[in-house]
Amino acid sequence: MNDGKYTIITIPKKNGDRRVIYIPSEALKREQKALVNFFLKHFKVSSVCYSYRKGIGIKEMAYRHIGAKTVICIDIKDFFHSITEEHIRDILDKRFDEKLNKHFITYIVSVVCHPKYIYEDGKLREISKNTSPLLITPQGAVTSPVISNIVFYHIDNKLKEFAKHYSLTYTRYADDIIISAKERLTDKRITKILQYVQNMIEYKRKASYIQTGFKVNEAKTKIYHHGQRMLVCGVVVNDKTVSVPKKYRRQVRAEIHTVLEALKHGKHIDSEVIEKLRGKVNWINHINSMQGKWFIQKMNEIEKLLF
């Protein structure tokens, strides 16, 4: 589906549902990139947020949880598409004390928001609110990542204060919230933590009466204790350093073997396959260079056979 601003597609999720992705036009991308600079200049991002920021990411966040005896992983449901036009107007009004030109605000909303679509009964369906389209920050828009960090700023800081008060560590990467403790937490304490986080994420702000719109995906909540393999956004944090799960490394090793054998026998390998494999190898090496050494060597062998 193409409406001039976006090509809207769906891709399969692991659970069998389909995720709606918005691919902006080149003209819209240019406008969004300019607004990214505007948002970065005028708004703060919490220190406990590790997503969509230069120089830090999942690896740096995972290190915050090294040595934990309990790790709690919480997923925020439909993250980007829970951020609405009301959120955008709210952060702009508060930052600029309602002095920003109303026409400029309307322009910003028109560039960063789009009617929400869901995939239902085999087709895309537009969602309405009070007979008007529900405007959200689309997954795929250039501006959505930085806006999500800004909208979540106060929630991040509140949960950071909560964690500090109870000697916990709190971090967030996009829709993944991680809380860990240096001691093994009882089920009772874990329940209280989960309830507090859920209340904070789903609360209504008294100052503006803006409903956050966020929901915890309780089905994806995971609790790890010392003695188990503890994962933070797919990274193992059991040891003194972060590492890549053995299962993932075995999968990539098998892919490398398949590609190498094919190339040695003169078979053609699609460039997209090579690019995806290169990305996986680089990720392993980024997370743990000792684990990545073998993969980099094998990737170099593949590159030599290609040219």
Side-chain angles (χ1 to χ4, degrees), residues 189-204:
R189 281 198 69 190
I190 291 171
T191 299
K192 286 184 176 180
I193 290 167
L194 289 173
Q195 189 60 61
Y196 183 88
V197 172
Q198 186 166 3
N199 289 344
M200 181 57 62
I201 288 173
E202 298 180 2
Y203 83 138
K204 180 179 284 187

Side-chain angles (χ1 to χ4, degrees), residues 70-76 159 162-163 166 168 170 177-180 185-203 215-225:
T70 297
V71 173
I72 304 170
C73 301
I74 302 165
D75 179 81
I76 305 168
L159 290 174
F162 165 78
Y166 290 99
L168 306 169
Y170 166 83
I177 285 174
I178 314 295
I179 296 176
S180 67
L185 298 178
T186 63
D187 290 345
K188 185 176 180 180
R189 281 198 69 190
I190 291 171
T191 299
K192 286 184 176 180
I193 290 167
L194 289 173
Q195 189 60 61
Y196 183 88
V197 172
Q198 186 166 3
N199 289 344
M200 181 57 62
I201 288 173
E202 298 180 2
Y203 83 138
K215 295 286 182 183
V216 170
N217 191 344
E218 295 182 46
K220 287 190 174 182
T221 298
K222 293 183 175 65
I223 313 295
Y224 302 105
H225 292 293

Side-chain angles (χ1 to χ4, degrees), residues 3-224:
D3 61 6
K5 295 179 74 174
Y6 288 93
T7 300
I8 304 172
I9 63 170
T10 64
I11 59 173
K13 293 183 180 181
K14 290 181 181 179
N15 64 3
D17 293 337
R18 298 193 72 82
R19 187 186 309 280
V20 180
I21 301 292
Y22 299 68
I23 305 170
S25 67
E26 289 303 316
L28 184 58
K29 273 185 188 178
R30 288 193 293 271
E31 291 184 273
Q32 289 178 344
K33 285 177 181 178
L35 283 179
V36 165
N37 294 330
F38 166 81
F39 282 111
L40 290 174
K41 179 180 177 181
H42 293 288
F43 291 90
K44 294 179 180 178
V45 174
S46 176
S47 61
V48 291
C49 169
Y50 285 80
S51 51
Y52 318 121
R53 297 176 63 194
K54 287 184 179 180
I56 61 173
I58 288 175
K59 179 180 179 179
E60 289 73 23
M61 183 181 74
Y63 265 109
R64 293 285 310 280
H65 302 282
I66 288 286
K69 294 295 189 291
T70 297
V71 173
I72 304 170
C73 301
I74 302 165
D75 179 81
I76 305 168
K77 190 175 182 179
D78 203 20
F79 185 55
F80 289 123
H81 297 172
S82 297
I83 300 171
T84 66
E85 172 188 3
E86 283 79 7
H87 290 101
I88 307 303
R89 293 185 181 276
D90 189 54
I91 61 171
L92 291 170
D93 284 344
K94 282 182 168 52
R95 172 64 181 83
F96 296 100
D97 196 23
E98 301 186 6
K99 293 175 182 177
L100 201 63
N101 183 286
K102 298 298 181 184
H103 294 295
F104 185 48
I105 292 177
T106 300
Y107 166 73
I108 291 174
V109 169
S110 72
V111 173
V112 306
C113 292
H114 196 73
K116 180 176 182 176
Y117 285 85
I118 62 171
Y119 187 77
E120 191 174 72
D121 298 328
K123 60 183 179 181
L124 289 165
R125 181 171 69 84
E126 185 178 298
I127 301 298
S128 298
K129 180 182 180 183
N130 300 327
T131 72
S132 297
L134 175 61
L135 300 180
I136 49 90
T137 55
Q139 183 168 358
V142 178
T143 42
S144 293
V146 67
I147 288 173
S148 70
N149 286 344
I150 293 165
V151 169
F152 228 80
Y153 176 77
H154 291 291
I155 300 176
D156 279 334
N157 284 346
K158 285 287 185 183
L159 290 174
K160 175 186 174 183
E161 291 171 12
F162 165 78
K164 184 178 180 181
H165 182 76
Y166 290 99
S167 301
L168 306 169
T169 298
Y170 166 83
T171 60
R172 181 180 61 82
Y173 188 94
D175 57 356
D176 290 307
I177 285 174
I178 314 295
I179 296 176
S180 67
K182 295 298 183 183
E183 60 179 314
R184 185 185 176 97
L185 298 178
T186 63
D187 290 345
K188 185 176 180 180
R189 281 198 69 190
I190 291 171
T191 299
K192 286 184 176 180
I193 290 167
L194 289 173
Q195 189 60 61
Y196 183 88
V197 172
Q198 186 166 3
N199 289 344
M200 181 57 62
I201 288 173
E202 298 180 2
Y203 83 138
K204 180 179 284 187
R205 292 167 60 179
K206 294 179 181 178
S208 60
Y209 299 98
I210 296 291
Q211 188 76 35
T212 66
F214 296 111
K215 295 286 182 183
V216 170
N217 191 344
E218 295 182 46
K220 287 190 174 182
T221 298
K222 293 183 175 65
I223 313 295
Y224 302 105

